[in-house]
Amino acid sequence: EVQLVESGGGLVQPGGSLRLSCAASGFRFGSFEMNWVRQVPGKGLEWLAYISTSGGTTKYAASVRGRFTISRDNAKNSVDLQMNSLRAEDTALYYCVRDNLDSGTYYPFDYWGQGTLVTVSS
Amino acid sequence: QPVLTQPPSASETPGQGVTISCAGGSSNIGSNTVNWYQQYPGAAPRLLIYSTDDRPSGVPDRFSGSKSGTSASLAISGLQSGDEADYYCAAWDDSVKEWVFGGGTKLTVL
């Protein structure tokens, strides 16, 4: 069974930093591209970052580029999101999300974790 | 403000059909496929439709997707109470080089 379990969320002051982690299991992690997507409670979804299978390619939303960094450790089956210079508007539930390219068919965001809540407030 | 535009709500009675629209532009829906996600309260989203009109295994054929120009639609036939959820469309945007989502549509089965 595919499982994505996020951790690392919590309360942080504006301007502070936080590192989120996502532990993956139930699939060959190193063969799948990964993303982070966030959702303000009661609001819509916002894609934040993408990382390729090797970690050699990353992409970011303009809203977090230069502040957030996505990375992965295929040996540990984990993907992280380092968040710096946090702002009140970064308060949200952060999801770890898998991309799936299976036999030439692309299933974007096919599995989601349950999310970890980040609150940025003084 | 979401890049893709969805109606905030939709409603219909059980057994009937409903269509949820998703309006975009030439750089997203006009150039790329559309995906739809279903989200129940307190739960993570679930992939419902990919590549505009394909269903992952396990998704009933009551759910179907389509696209015309810069707009896409999700159609649900034979509505059931279990279809009450939020529905989001998404597409890659070639202009901003980001995945963009719609603001979501809350479906109520009356």
Side-chain angles (χ1 to χ4, degrees), chain A residues 51-109:
Chain A
I51 189 165
S52 63
T53 54
S54 67
T57 300
T58 56
K59 300 176 184 178
Y60 297 93
S63 60
V64 304
R65 194 174 299 132
R67 300 189 300 126
F68 290 11
T69 302
I70 189 171
S71 61
R72 66 188 296 160
D73 186 334
N74 287 342
K76 294 183 178 179
N77 291 348
S78 66
V79 56
D80 289 354
L81 186 68
Q82 175 66 42
M83 305 186 297
N84 299 329
S85 303
L86 284 162
R87 308 164 179 165
E89 54 265 36
D90 294 318
T91 294
L93 187 64
Y94 285 70
Y95 291 105
C96 171
V97 188
R98 191 183 83 166
D99 272 345
N100 184 4
L101 180 60
D102 182 9
S103 302
T105 299
Y106 177 45
Y107 304 90
F109 308 154

Side-chain angles (χ1 to χ4, degrees), chain B residues 45-90:
Chain B
R46 162 203 183 194
L47 178 63
L48 194 66
I49 298 287
Y50 68 97
S51 295
T52 301
D53 56 8
D54 284 322
R55 288 181 306 277
S57 61
V59 174
D61 59 7
R62 299 186 298 104
F63 294 88
S64 62
S66 63
K67 183 177 86 166
S68 178
T70 59
S71 291
S73 296
L74 172 69
I76 310 173
S77 62
L79 276 169
Q80 302 174 2
S81 58
D83 297 332
E84 274 205 352
D86 294 327
Y87 293 86
Y88 294 90
C89 58

Side-chain angles (χ1 to χ4, degrees), chain A residues 35 37 39 42-47 59-63 65 95 99 105-115, chain B residues 35 37 39 42-47 50-51 54-57 86 88 90 92 96-104:
Chain A
N35 301 267
V37 174
Q39 183 173 35
K43 302 295 185 183
L45 301 166
E46 181 187 13
W47 172 80
K59 300 176 184 178
Y60 297 93
S63 60
R65 194 174 299 132
Y95 291 105
D99 272 345
T105 299
Y106 177 45
Y107 304 90
F109 308 154
D110 73 331
Y111 273 94
W112 300 59
Q114 287 305 302
Chain B
N35 310 292
Y37 300 87
Q39 184 179 33
R46 162 203 183 194
L47 178 63
Y50 68 97
S51 295
D54 284 322
R55 288 181 306 277
S57 61
D86 294 327
Y88 294 90
W92 178 257
V96 296
K97 300 286 192 288
E98 298 182 13
W99 280 99
V100 292
F101 284 91

